[in-house]
Amino acid sequence: MNPSRRTFLQTSATLAATLPLLRLPALGATPAPATPAASAADPARGLLFDPADLPRMRANLDLPRLAEVKAKLLGVNFAAETRFLRDELRLNNHVADFLRAWQVLETCSFAYAVYGDRRHLDVALLALERLCDYKRWDYFLEGGKDTIGLQRAPEATIAALYALDWLRDAVPAALRQRVEDKVLHEGAPACYRTLYGMQHPDRVRGWGFDPEDDYAFRFDLSRWPIILNSTNLKVIPTCGLGFAGLWFHGRHPDAAKWLDLSRQSARAFSVMYGTDGAYEEGVGYWGYTTLHMAMLAEAVYRRLGLDDRTLVNYPGTIRYALSLAMPCGGAAITDPNAQRPYNATPKGNYVPALDIVNFSDAGIGMDVSVAAWVGLAAQDPLSNYVAKHTGSLKQLHAAVWYRADAPEQAPGPEMLDVRLSNDWIVSRTGWGPDDTVVALRSGGPSNHEHADRNSVIFKAHGERLFSDPFRAGYSPKIPRWLLRQTQAHTALLIDGHGHQYHDGREGTNSSWANATVVDHRTGPSWMTVTSDATEAYALVDPDVLLVTRTLVFLKPEVLVIADHVKLRQAKPVQIRFQVFNDDGRGEAAVTDATFRISRPLASAQAVVAGSSAIVLRQARLALEDETVFPFVEAAFAAATEHVILTVATAAPATSAHGIATIDRAGTTWRIGGTHRDHAIKATLTFDATNRPTLTL
């Protein structure tokens, strides 16, 4: 990296960390980070914790909030893991077996440090031995012969060095030497090679898959040094290489070079967060990425006193995560795919209390382990609140960073209506399962995105009413790739087609589809937003002149969706409303111009009207799967201009809906009626500005 580029990135990162939260309101000024005494830095300190921290960690693990972490530590099946490591581990399988090996290593090493159970130590030592038996620590190569480390090599490097740190003298000298040699000659070089290639893609000698690995899903990696430079897969080797640099600091001639490139890469990546802390890959990858940014910053600060803890607006990024929390009610839903071998489909049980606004490959819940670190490092009471009350704490790090007595502050009313810097919109009535949440996916392309511009999520009374699918496939070879398409979202189709998206040959990378919020306003009991996705649709249909979607959220239970389409040639348009049915309990029914979506705890009822003839139908996605994906579709006859209004109301399952009406006079549409003792009254006028005028 040349000096001018480095200076620019350093300046940008510092500026991003000091700017106020853009669009996303903070609870007062963002607090300054804590500044521990310089004497706290010591190359001999633990990478994550010191022995003196163990009593507090044990106390944390006894708290209900840390129950999931404690269950992981104490729930190790020693016989099964020993059998797996000794007899079943496949040395040509990295995606599943190598992953399981380093995860077992990390869990058992941490458990032994905390509880001192010899059985944990025995499994950890065996895992170290078996990781060293692998010829390579990742299944990607440069030039057909040199390992590059995108995930497995850096993950194993981190886990191995954590294990040496936590187990201390319990690791025999010969094994310690073997592990260090493996990190020196396989783990660290693989991470360095990866980051160097991202920094200098013109010098890469071709990335590809290791032909000896049995990974079944192959992609075109020719552009990956460029594509992955702005994704989570840059941060993992950044952290792994930094750990190697710290571990061998003063002991190996390459350690300083490794640490320098690691910190350069962290600074370069920090600008991928918005100035408000927003992260475009979705909240699931946010947790994974931000945790590794924090792990590196904490280890560097602890060992060398170098402070990289403000590269990102960390208090802001916790607010980003909080804004995407969407707790629902009801019982957990088991994932039928959870126990199957890797099949390019995300796994995980759906827990309603942990539900999220799941734009993109967001996962099924939100891990906020890093919030405890932010609360401590930035002295931020809201981050402490999130660590205590939002999402889940699943990572071992939470046992170290959590402070039960940390001052906390709940989110205030200023966070009920949020426009994130990536143009995602979230409006809500509160933070409980019974509260209403409306979310709109505007904004640009991103890694792990779906073809979901202008799509909507509508949740109320504990239920997803207009949904976004979970567990979309990561490979075009599998049927669930369909769940990435516009057709599988609560979104608009033109003549049956969605907006531009790629074919998956390079993986789950960005498309070219862009949408932009052109209007966003809020009031005491309402929110309105207009998003323009013309560009995204015009990329695949040159007849597209305009595609906008306007939401009017009349709190607490009425949502108006207004779609405006202009075309050079007359074409039909369809609007889809997806039903959440992962438990088989989602239902849809249509009658004339009205439809209802029902879930066990709540229902949505909607009336639809348009400027051309309408046909409502109930259908399901053409997907061979255990889960049936029903939807309601409103289809409109061919025209060169479409104005379509949907007025939806939400109600508990035991309550009746009111009556909503839509009347048209020229370009003006009047919405009226009542619903559960609330009047419905709004007017939308569509004129030459292409932005409807709202009157309430």
Side-chain angles (χ1 to χ4, degrees):
M1 179 179 292
N2 62 57
S4 61
R5 173 66 173 162
R6 182 184 298 114
T7 301
F8 168 75
L9 291 172
Q10 290 173 327
T11 304
S12 300
T14 302
L15 179 61
T18 55
L19 282 174
L21 300 182
L22 181 62
R23 295 174 179 159
L24 176 56
L27 298 182
T30 303
T35 308
S39 60
D42 182 348
R45 289 194 72 185
L47 294 169
L48 180 62
F49 62 85
D50 298 315
D53 296 318
L54 288 170
R56 180 180 50 78
M57 292 161 55
R58 293 188 191 101
N60 278 345
L61 288 165
D62 286 336
L63 298 172
R65 182 64 169 153
L66 275 296
E68 194 167 353
V69 178
K70 185 174 183 178
K72 179 193 299 185
L73 296 173
L74 299 184
V76 175
N77 185 325
F78 299 107
E81 296 303 346
T82 299
R83 182 172 60 253
F84 163 72
L85 291 167
R86 191 168 285 159
D87 304 324
E88 300 169 358
L89 186 76
R90 295 165 293 176
L91 296 180
N92 68 334
N93 182 288
H94 289 81
V95 71
D97 288 11
F98 189 87
L99 169 68
R100 180 175 170 182
W102 78 250
Q103 288 177 334
V104 168
L105 168 64
E106 192 170 87
T107 298
C108 288
S109 299
F110 192 92
Y112 179 73
V114 174
Y115 296 116
D117 187 329
R118 176 72 200 198
R119 294 174 298 175
H120 285 119
L121 176 61
D122 290 343
V123 173
L125 295 178
L126 178 59
L128 277 173
E129 291 277 12
R130 295 299 279 149
L131 283 176
C132 291
D133 288 341
Y134 274 82
K135 174 184 175 182
R136 300 187 186 277
W137 272 12
D138 221 315
Y139 52 107
F140 302 98
L141 303 178
E142 179 173 350
K145 62 185 183 69
D146 296 321
T147 310
I148 55 173
L150 295 175
Q151 274 188 298
R152 296 299 179 258
E155 289 168 339
T157 298
I158 294 165
L161 297 180
Y162 267 157
L164 296 184
D165 190 30
W166 300 340
L167 300 178
R168 297 178 176 263
D169 294 340
V171 181
L175 178 56
R176 178 177 291 270
Q177 184 63 52
R178 188 184 183 200
V179 172
E180 289 192 340
D181 285 347
K182 199 70 175 183
V183 172
L184 283 171
H185 298 106
E186 178 64 16
C191 294
Y192 185 88
R193 200 171 287 119
T194 301
L195 296 176
Y196 185 85
M198 291 179 183
Q199 191 180 67
H200 303 288
D202 56 313
R203 303 176 190 177
V204 170
R205 291 171 290 117
W207 285 3
F209 287 94
D210 180 358
E212 296 180 4
D213 191 273
D214 70 354
Y215 184 63
F217 301 95
R218 303 289 167 123
F219 303 98
D220 177 1
L221 309 189
S222 58
R223 293 199 313 130
W224 272 29
I226 298 171
I227 292 171
L228 299 187
N229 191 45
S230 59
T231 76
N232 67 91
L233 291 181
K234 178 172 185 170
V235 172
I236 313 310
T238 294
C239 184
L241 186 63
F243 270 42
L246 290 169
W247 189 258
F248 293 103
H249 176 72
R251 297 198 291 136
H252 192 276
D254 286 338
K257 178 181 75 171
W258 293 342
L259 184 60
D260 184 52
L261 181 58
S262 168
R263 296 182 67 220
Q264 285 183 38
S265 297
R267 288 194 294 271
F269 188 82
S270 67
V271 298
M272 298 312 301
Y273 291 82
T275 53
D276 61 349
Y279 186 71
E280 64 182 20
E281 287 187 280
V283 74
Y285 283 97
W286 164 86
Y288 179 60
T289 303
T290 309
L291 176 69
H292 281 80
M293 289 285 285
M295 288 161 52
L296 175 62
E298 179 69 7
V300 168
Y301 190 82
R302 289 172 62 83
R303 290 217 159 186
L304 301 180
L306 302 173
D307 197 350
D308 292 336
R309 298 171 304 157
T310 57
L311 290 181
V312 173
N313 179 356
Y314 282 111
T317 207
I318 299 302
R319 286 156 174 79
Y320 157 83
L322 177 61
S323 72
L324 298 175
M326 194 178 76
C328 290
I333 304 172
T334 301
D335 177 10
N337 187 51
Q339 303 305 317
R340 294 173 184 162
Y342 180 80
N343 57 3
T345 303
K347 303 174 187 289
N349 298 333
Y350 171 76
V351 180
L354 305 179
D355 204 349
I356 53 174
V357 175
N358 63 312
F359 295 148
S360 307
D361 289 328
I364 302 179
M366 182 191 307
D367 178 81
V368 297
S369 297
V370 73
W373 177 81
V374 176
L376 182 64
Q379 298 179 350
D380 180 30
L382 188 134
S383 292
N384 292 330
Y385 174 89
V386 171
K388 295 178 184 182
H389 305 291
T390 303
S392 61
L393 301 179
K394 296 184 178 182
Q395 303 303 320
L396 303 178
H397 307 76
V400 180
W401 295 331
Y402 190 78
R403 299 293 192 276
D405 59 351
E408 62 181 274
Q409 184 173 354
E414 67 274 13
M415 287 198 65
L416 295 177
D417 295 289
V418 166
R419 176 184 177 184
L420 296 165
S421 59
N422 59 355
D423 264 356
W424 293 4
I425 303 293
V426 184
S427 183
R428 65 179 71 236
T429 60
W431 304 91
D434 290 335
D435 286 303
T436 306
V437 176
V438 171
L440 173 73
R441 201 314 195 179
S442 187
S446 66
N447 189 52
H448 279 294
E449 67 172 349
H450 294 182
D452 57 359
R453 302 309 175 272
N454 284 3
S455 68
V456 172
I457 296 173
F458 182 31
K459 164 257 179 181
H461 301 292
E463 295 283 11
R464 289 174 159 261
L465 299 174
F466 298 163
S467 194
D468 192 314
F470 291 116
R471 308 184 192 92
Y474 279 21
S475 167
K477 296 179 181 180
I478 63 174
R480 274 185 172 243
W481 183 261
L482 173 62
L483 297 182
R484 313 185 77 83
Q485 309 303 316
T486 313
Q487 290 86 342
H489 293 79
T490 297
L492 177 141
L493 307 175
I494 298 175
D495 200 13
H497 301 289
H499 64 70
Q500 187 269 340
Y501 195 62
H502 57 77
D503 61 7
R505 73 181 65 184
E506 295 178 310
T508 59
N509 54 289
S510 301
S511 69
W512 300 328
N514 192 68
T516 304
V517 170
V518 295
D519 182 38
H520 178 238
R521 289 171 287 138
T522 64
S525 58
W526 58 273
M527 181 280 301
T528 186
V529 57
T530 298
S531 173
D532 188 333
T534 305
E535 179 182 335
Y537 285 85
L539 285 169
V540 293
D541 188 341
D543 289 330
V544 170
L545 298 172
L546 178 72
V547 177
T548 65
R549 170 164 279 186
T550 297
L551 304 186
V552 181
F553 179 22
L554 303 176
K555 299 182 181 183
E557 296 174 330
V558 179
L559 174 63
V560 179
I561 303 176
D563 291 290
H564 193 189
V565 179
K566 291 183 179 180
L567 304 161
R568 288 187 176 88
Q569 298 184 30
K571 294 182 180 182
V573 163
Q574 301 83 32
I575 310 289
R576 286 191 176 179
F577 304 88
Q578 305 295 333
V579 180
F580 180 57
N581 190 47
D582 284 24
D583 56 357
R585 304 181 72 187
E587 299 178 353
V590 301
T591 305
D592 298 326
T594 302
F595 70 86
R596 178 177 290 213
I597 292 175
S598 300
R599 292 279 307 155
L601 300 179
S603 65
Q605 181 170 291
V607 58
V608 187
S611 52
S612 58
I614 176 177
V615 175
L616 274 179
R617 71 182 181 109
Q618 175 194 354
R620 60 176 62 177
L621 295 178
L623 182 61
E624 296 289 335
D625 197 272
E626 292 103 334
T627 301
V628 175
F629 294 89
F631 62 86
V632 172
E633 182 177 272
F636 298 85
T640 56
E641 182 172 7
H642 297 267
V643 176
I644 303 162
L645 265 67
T646 305
V647 182
T649 56
T654 55
S655 297
H657 288 260
I659 298 176
T661 61
I662 303 173
D663 296 306
R664 177 188 180 189
T667 60
T668 297
W669 300 70
R670 292 184 176 85
I671 301 157
T674 59
H675 174 65
R676 286 170 41 89
D677 299 326
H678 290 274
I680 303 172
K681 187 176 181 180
T683 301
L684 285 167
T685 301
F686 295 82
D687 55 28
T689 65
N690 293 331
R691 299 184 189 181
T693 301
L694 171 65
T695 304
L696 295 175

